[in-house]
Amino acid sequence: QARFIDGLASRKTHVAVGVSDAVGASLRGSVVQGACDVKVILNGVDTGLHSPLADDGRLRAELGLSPDTPILGSIGRLEHIKGYDYMVEAFARLRAGWTVGAPPVLVIAGDGSERQRLERRARDGGVEGSIWFLGWRDDVRSLLSAFQVFTMSSRSEGTSVSLLEAMSTGLCPVVTDVGGNA
């Protein structure tokens, strides 16, 4: 229904903008109608603000984690489209097969309608004590400094600003190949 309405609106629009080549192609292929042009303006972040930082230790202290515990982290809305159910399942598999060194933990910052379901899924998957759901946070730079890997499991994305911020700080991303993430 939304694509239908967007298509109707595009008939009265001069330009539609996508935030990645994938979004631009999707707009051209199945949304935009009539003479509306499609332009791509890539998402970006302030690389000066989101530069590599040394771990300030605050997150590890807050969670009681030792310095050798690897932290996999994600920041985003806990909604179905963001695929956090995939992330919890993948993390449970990773933990089950972990054999060398301290096992990793998963830290998820953000909130949304899926939070209780995800917490239940973590409990049912046997990783409840290894996943922290932090809720909404305003200390993103501090969180990113503590992560060893940034992870994102979205079912659909344009180009994620959270992903760009994480990459700008030097984090290795492990993400689903959707939209502009690649």
Side-chain angles (χ1 to χ4, degrees):
Q1 182 181 8
R3 283 187 186 254
F4 175 74
I5 292 170
D6 289 344
L8 289 176
S10 72
R11 294 180 186 174
K12 300 284 186 186
T13 303
H14 297 286
V15 177
V17 177
V19 298
S20 69
D21 290 331
V23 172
S26 177
L27 288 171
R28 285 183 198 96
S30 62
V31 178
V32 169
Q33 301 174 12
C36 180
D37 191 19
V38 175
K39 300 287 184 194
V40 173
I41 301 175
L42 300 176
N43 270 348
V45 296
D46 181 341
T47 57
L49 177 63
H50 298 286
S51 58
L53 295 172
D55 183 357
D56 60 19
R58 289 190 287 179
L59 182 63
R60 287 181 184 282
E62 176 184 335
L63 302 179
L65 299 174
S66 68
D68 65 330
T69 300
I71 301 175
L72 313 180
S74 188
I75 300 170
R77 293 179 297 119
L78 303 186
E79 300 298 338
H80 179 74
I81 194 74
K82 297 300 185 177
Y84 280 101
D85 53 329
Y86 294 153
M87 187 181 300
V88 170
E89 182 180 330
F91 180 72
R93 289 181 181 185
L94 176 70
R95 288 276 302 200
W98 196 265
T99 59
V100 179
V105 298
L106 176 61
V107 172
I108 300 173
D111 222 337
S113 65
E114 292 283 302
R115 182 171 178 164
Q116 288 182 345
R117 193 170 74 81
L118 293 167
E119 289 172 338
R120 192 170 39 254
R121 190 176 197 113
R123 186 174 52 253
D124 293 347
V127 290
E128 179 180 33
S130 303
I131 298 179
W132 277 267
F133 293 92
L134 302 182
W136 187 87
R137 299 286 288 246
D138 62 2
D139 59 342
V140 170
R141 291 187 69 211
S142 179
L143 294 176
L144 291 174
S145 76
F147 297 169
Q148 278 69 59
V149 172
F150 180 83
T151 185
M152 176 176 283
S153 51
S154 297
R155 289 175 164 83
S156 178
E157 281 289 341
T159 299
S160 167
V161 172
S162 293
L163 171 59
L164 296 176
E165 289 172 349
M167 289 176 18
S168 183
T169 67
L171 277 172
C172 174
V174 176
V175 302
T176 49
D177 186 11
V178 296
N181 282 356

